[in-house]
Amino acid sequence: MVVTGYDDRFGCGYVLSTGPDLATAAPGSQRVSHQNVTVAATPELAASLRDALANHRTAQLVLGGPHVPLALDDRTVLGWLRHSVGGVLTVTNGPR
């Protein structure tokens, strides 16, 4: 999966790559690993993700839905991006 977006909090665009798309991650991406799953993200997003994994530890999969443990599987990290970070513009090869 490849997600592109714009984070208003930091005033910058971001790219997150997972699974098979990890091999073609955006230049300058940093790898973040958790529970044997690795993703690649632009530096600001990687820092936010590391902080969320260490301190906040939950995500919503749907707006107003229950909080679930934050993990790096496509469905959960996409929910975190949509409802915690915001600014999701495109999703390629995302979960069904």
Side-chain angles (χ1 to χ4, degrees):
M1 172 175 79
V2 176
V3 181
T4 61
Y6 188 81
D7 187 340
D8 286 326
R9 301 169 307 164
F10 294 109
C12 64
Y14 63 79
V15 179
L16 176 108
S17 301
T18 69
D21 293 306
L22 194 61
T24 57
S29 291
Q30 296 178 0
R31 301 220 174 199
V32 177
S33 296
H34 179 69
Q35 297 177 339
N36 297 318
V37 177
T38 300
V39 301
T42 46
E44 294 85 359
L45 184 62
S48 291
L49 185 53
R50 285 186 191 103
D51 178 64
L53 287 165
N55 299 306
H56 306 291
R57 299 185 183 138
T58 64
Q60 285 183 301
L61 302 183
V62 297
L63 187 60
H67 286 262
V68 299
L70 181 56
L72 297 182
D73 64 274
D74 285 357
R75 189 166 180 234
T76 305
V77 79
L78 184 57
W80 176 76
L81 285 169
R82 285 184 171 147
H83 305 296
S84 293
V85 175
V88 172
L89 299 175
T90 65
V91 179
T92 307
N93 301 325
R96 305 254 180 259

